[in-house]
Amino acid sequence: MKSISVIIPVYNVVNYLEKCLNSVLSQTFQDFEIIAVDDGSTDGSSDILAVYNQLIPNLQLCTQENAGLSAARNLGLQRATGKYIYFLDSDDFLELDAFEKCFQLAEGYQLDFVKFDARPFSEDRSIIENKYDSKATLEPCRLYRQDEWLETQYRHYNSPVWLFLIRHEIIQTHKLAFQEGLLHEDELFTPQLFAVSDRIMYLDKAFFHRRYRRDSIMGQAAQGNASRQSKQWIVLALDEEAKRARQKSVRRFMAHRRDILYMETQFGHPIPMVRRWFLDLRVYLRQLLRRK
């Protein structure tokens, strides 16, 4: 069993894939396996994966017809054997000491997951707001228990799973998986992860380099109907999670994330709550439930 399973869904990223893979292969910590899932690429990405698969013994290559990011990650989870799971997007890349620092912390304190920061960049070199820096909110190397962690998330929240090194046992025990057929799938997976985790630490290092590109799946769909419909579905799912939760702190957090996403579907961005909008939310949820 390897220490870390790195799951990399791949779909039409021929210009970025080698940099992504090399950032993993050059890690200062080498006890990992790579599970690359080719999600029906048509641009030459499959050829790159075939070459790396021949050269790298610890790279496992899986292929599937194009089914989306969630399906690719789920297939990777089915094949993973590592003690920890890391989800890496194939157009991004890592700092070379990311696994070493995160693994040491996770093992030293028996953590459920480690959270770290990211540094966004754009191909056209435009200035991008860094939404992935938690230094103002989180205390580095402090052991957070669940209630404390959830309280911090009201001030600064990140959903992308590439910000977390996750103990595999947590995913297996609680049967966590990505909802297939959705965009914004992390908006459900990450709250579910938080709801079952109780030992968490933060590293104030920008280990992840987040590439913004216009031809990405999220870039194309961010303002589209598919995005809106996915968020609507997740609103309902978070509402159910809030109802099922036993801990008050989890119920409150799930309801908060539900309300934030609801506001985004209605207004394009979260805005302060008022009574009228809460009433609108209740009507909206009833209407969607009737359609199911």
Side-chain angles (χ1 to χ4, degrees), residues 1 3-5 77 82-87 102-114 164-174 176 189 193 196-200:
M1 182 177 72
S3 295
I4 300 173
S5 292
L77 277 174
K83 189 171 185 179
Y84 295 90
I85 299 293
Y86 182 67
F87 299 101
C102 291
F103 180 79
Q104 287 176 351
L105 199 66
E107 281 292 277
Y109 293 90
Q110 293 300 291
L111 303 178
D112 295 327
F113 67 84
V114 177
F164 311 108
L165 180 73
I166 307 167
R167 184 176 292 273
H168 196 175
E169 184 182 5
I170 288 288
I171 295 174
Q172 292 174 315
T173 300
H174 299 281
L176 298 181
F189 183 93
L193 171 65
V196 296
S197 299
D198 193 47
R199 297 183 63 84
I200 304 152

Side-chain angles (χ1 to χ4, degrees), residues 10-221:
V10 176
Y11 179 70
N12 289 356
V13 285
V14 67
N15 294 326
Y16 318 109
L17 182 55
E18 289 187 58
K19 186 163 189 174
C20 173
L21 291 171
N22 289 340
S23 77
V24 177
L25 296 171
S26 301
Q27 288 289 309
T28 56
F29 180 84
Q30 285 285 305
D31 188 21
F32 59 79
E33 63 176 357
I34 300 172
I35 304 171
V37 182
D38 185 357
D39 187 34
S41 295
T42 59
D43 70 338
S45 297
S46 302
D47 296 332
I48 293 174
L49 289 174
V51 171
Y52 275 77
N53 191 38
Q54 291 293 320
L55 297 175
I56 310 301
N58 59 339
L59 189 151
Q60 179 184 164
L61 177 57
C62 308
T63 60
Q64 64 179 25
E65 293 185 6
N66 181 239
L69 180 62
S70 292
R73 285 174 172 171
N74 287 339
L75 179 56
L77 277 174
Q78 293 172 19
R79 304 292 180 85
T81 63
K83 189 171 185 179
Y84 295 90
I85 299 293
Y86 182 67
F87 299 101
L88 177 60
D89 285 356
S90 52
D91 53 353
D92 302 316
F93 61 94
L94 292 167
E95 289 291 311
L96 302 187
D97 59 345
F99 291 166
E100 178 184 357
K101 298 294 177 58
C102 291
F103 180 79
Q104 287 176 351
L105 199 66
E107 281 292 277
Y109 293 90
Q110 293 300 291
L111 303 178
D112 295 327
F113 67 84
V114 177
K115 159 77 165 63
F116 49 88
D117 291 335
R119 183 176 293 113
F121 68 99
S122 174
E123 293 178 313
D124 61 10
R125 299 187 179 181
S126 58
I127 298 174
I128 301 173
E129 177 190 2
N130 190 352
K131 301 178 291 185
Y132 311 113
D133 189 332
S134 297
K135 295 184 184 68
T137 304
L138 298 174
E139 183 178 335
C141 298
R142 169 185 170 181
L143 178 61
Y144 286 93
R145 307 309 293 259
Q146 185 182 79
D147 287 356
E148 298 172 311
W149 178 260
L150 293 179
E151 195 62 34
T152 68
Q153 300 306 296
Y154 296 101
R155 301 192 297 275
H156 186 258
Y157 172 75
N158 291 136
S159 66
V161 292
W162 30 255
L163 291 170
F164 311 108
L165 180 73
I166 307 167
R167 184 176 292 273
H168 196 175
E169 184 182 5
I170 288 288
I171 295 174
Q172 292 174 315
T173 300
H174 299 281
K175 299 180 180 178
L176 298 181
F178 294 89
Q179 181 63 43
E180 298 183 14
L182 290 180
L183 299 171
H184 313 292
E185 58 284 319
D186 294 358
E187 290 286 2
L188 181 58
F189 183 93
T190 297
Q192 290 173 329
L193 171 65
F194 289 0
V196 296
S197 299
D198 193 47
R199 297 183 63 84
I200 304 152
M201 278 190 176
Y202 162 67
L203 270 176
D204 58 338
K205 304 291 183 183
F207 288 134
F208 188 85
H209 292 263
R210 165 77 160 97
R211 185 190 306 273
Y212 280 84
R213 56 189 181 94
R214 293 181 180 178
D215 61 339
S216 69
I217 294 172
M218 290 309 299
Q220 293 173 348

